[in-house]
Amino acid sequence: GLMPPEIILLNRNALALNMGETGQLSATVFPISGSQAVVWSTSDAGVATVSQAGVVTPVASGTVTISATDGSLSTSCSVTIN
């Protein structure tokens, strides 16, 4: 079977975007041989949304937490919309 995921690393721990920009987050699950089934979510879709490809789109100014989850593991990135 697949190795169970042990840790998720993001390419960014924090991100600042202006309205009209998009940001790209990528998550890598270790071990690499394990599941890479990361689910993206936003703490406030009124501030920014995130696609299942990790693309962050600003909606309004503020701060939002974008989370990447795989099974019981989760990690997050703080996103500020200017």
Side-chain angles (χ1 to χ4, degrees), residues 13-32:
N13 292 322
L15 188 63
L17 293 172
N18 296 313
M19 292 299 294
E21 294 180 335
T22 58
Q24 176 68 61
L25 294 177
S26 61
T28 307
V29 182
F30 293 93
I32 297 288

Side-chain angles (χ1 to χ4, degrees), residues 2-75:
L2 286 174
M3 298 284 292
E6 291 171 12
I7 189 170
I8 304 176
L9 293 181
L10 294 183
N11 61 328
R12 303 287 297 266
N13 292 322
L15 188 63
L17 293 172
N18 296 313
M19 292 299 294
E21 294 180 335
T22 58
Q24 176 68 61
L25 294 177
S26 61
T28 307
V29 182
F30 293 93
I32 297 288
S33 60
S35 157
Q36 297 285 327
V38 171
V39 177
W40 294 92
S41 59
T42 177
S43 64
D44 186 349
V47 175
T49 60
V50 63
S51 74
Q52 290 313 304
V55 177
V56 180
T57 303
V59 177
S61 14
T63 304
V64 66
T65 300
I66 303 294
S67 299
T69 306
D70 185 351
S72 60
L73 284 182
S74 185
T75 190

